[in-house]
Amino acid sequence: MIASILLSSGSELNDAQDTSPEVVAPLVQDEPISIIDKLKFTDKSVLVVAPLLTANAYRYQGFYDTFRGDCDESCLSLQLDTKIRFGYTSSNNALVYFNNLGIPLIDDYTASLNPEIFSQYKKIIMLHNEYVTIEFYEAIINHPNVYFMYPNALYAEIDLTDGVMTLIKGKGYPKDDPPPTVNAFDWEFENTHPDEYDLECIDFKWKKIGNGYQLNCYPEVVIFEKTEIMDFIFEDR
């Protein structure tokens, strides 16, 4: 669960029980971010998906050590660290934001094992969930109301077996059988390039896609100052 994961700020999320199994509604931190001070989100029809799997992919002796040539393919199979700290590549700032609002959170590892949980929520908010299982992917693309807040989501396929995360397809792997496109799932709404490299979100837009909306920039750096990005998510639709 998200409760066992640490934010890079050093604040540990509290294990507050929610009405749904496998989901927690984190408590407001002792020192809330000023722009959302005193705010408390009460609508439990919204669920945020924390990118625990992606955080593991980017860790030391993880996937990217193999991609850089610093490790052999043994680094493409990892014992999952469920207490890993989130960072820039795993949407830490967004998690701090939603945590302070008290919005229910679930990590994508837990959701991969229980994909039916998405059907219990009216609105799903995806973050930088780059590495996912096929079961997770199918559950997300079949949900009618998903907000893809970060480009590069649903990008590469992994397998999860007994707590071990293994890259199956994506990022040019496997070399002798590359995926049909840059996206391992051949997802029609793939939006990594160029949106992932727009870090300022000056001309941000929420684009309507088949089962929800996509943001056309990577909001990690500006999330606390550009609150209008979040306003769109919380409007009724």
Side-chain angles (χ1 to χ4, degrees):
M1 287 188 197
I2 187 69
S4 65
I5 304 171
L6 301 179
L7 301 176
S8 64
S9 63
S11 300
E12 187 167 6
L13 300 182
N14 298 290
D15 192 3
Q17 191 66 41
D18 189 59
T19 55
S20 300
E22 305 299 332
V23 178
V24 294
L27 301 178
V28 176
Q29 296 175 3
D30 293 336
E31 298 180 0
I33 302 300
S34 60
I35 64 170
I36 52 175
D37 191 16
K38 299 181 180 179
L39 288 178
K40 185 69 176 178
F41 198 78
T42 58
D43 183 357
K44 301 307 180 185
S45 66
V46 178
L47 183 64
V48 175
V49 186
L52 173 65
L53 301 174
T54 296
N56 274 268
Y58 280 89
R59 80 188 198 202
Y60 175 68
Q61 293 293 282
F63 292 178
Y64 287 81
D65 285 285
T66 297
F67 300 155
R68 288 189 296 265
D70 297 330
C71 183
D72 59 22
E73 291 192 3
S74 65
C75 287
L76 298 180
S77 189
L78 311 170
Q79 184 67 47
L80 204 64
D81 180 359
T82 59
K83 295 185 178 181
I84 196 168
R85 289 182 182 273
F86 286 121
Y88 173 80
T89 56
S90 47
S91 310
N92 179 75
N93 286 346
L95 290 170
V96 170
Y97 188 101
F98 290 121
N99 178 51
N100 278 278
L101 288 179
I103 297 178
L105 300 162
I106 189 170
D107 65 74
D108 46 13
Y109 172 55
T110 301
S112 296
L113 302 179
N114 305 274
E116 68 280 356
I117 201 167
F118 292 131
S119 65
Q120 301 176 26
Y121 292 84
K122 178 181 178 181
K123 187 178 296 186
I124 305 297
I125 301 174
M126 290 277 286
L127 304 182
H128 189 219
N129 304 92
E130 180 178 358
Y131 293 87
V132 300
T133 65
I134 184 63
E135 293 82 8
F136 181 97
Y137 169 79
E138 290 178 347
I140 287 295
I141 65 170
N142 285 306
H143 190 282
N145 197 24
V146 181
Y147 288 71
F148 295 90
M149 192 173 153
Y150 286 69
N152 194 224
L154 306 182
Y155 191 80
E157 181 184 356
I158 60 161
D159 173 72
L160 291 171
T161 301
D162 298 329
V164 175
M165 167 180 163
T166 302
L167 180 63
I168 299 299
K169 186 185 297 184
K171 296 287 186 178
Y173 180 86
K175 293 181 180 179
D176 58 346
D177 184 25
T181 68
V182 294
N183 185 284
F185 302 99
D186 202 17
W187 186 37
E188 63 177 307
F189 299 112
E190 160 63 40
N191 71 330
T192 296
H193 302 284
D195 294 350
E196 187 181 26
Y197 303 98
D198 180 357
L199 309 183
E200 297 181 350
C201 298
I202 294 175
D203 297 315
F204 78 86
K205 294 180 181 178
W206 282 97
K207 176 185 176 182
K208 182 73 175 75
I209 62 172
N211 69 323
Y213 299 86
Q214 281 180 327
L215 187 63
N216 68 341
C217 62
Y218 196 92
E220 183 69 7
V221 176
V222 299
I223 190 170
F224 296 117
E225 62 186 75
K226 286 188 173 290
T227 55
E228 59 269 30
I229 290 176
M230 314 302 286
D231 291 342
F232 182 88
I233 294 177
F234 298 129
E235 293 172 359
D236 290 333
R237 61 173 58 81

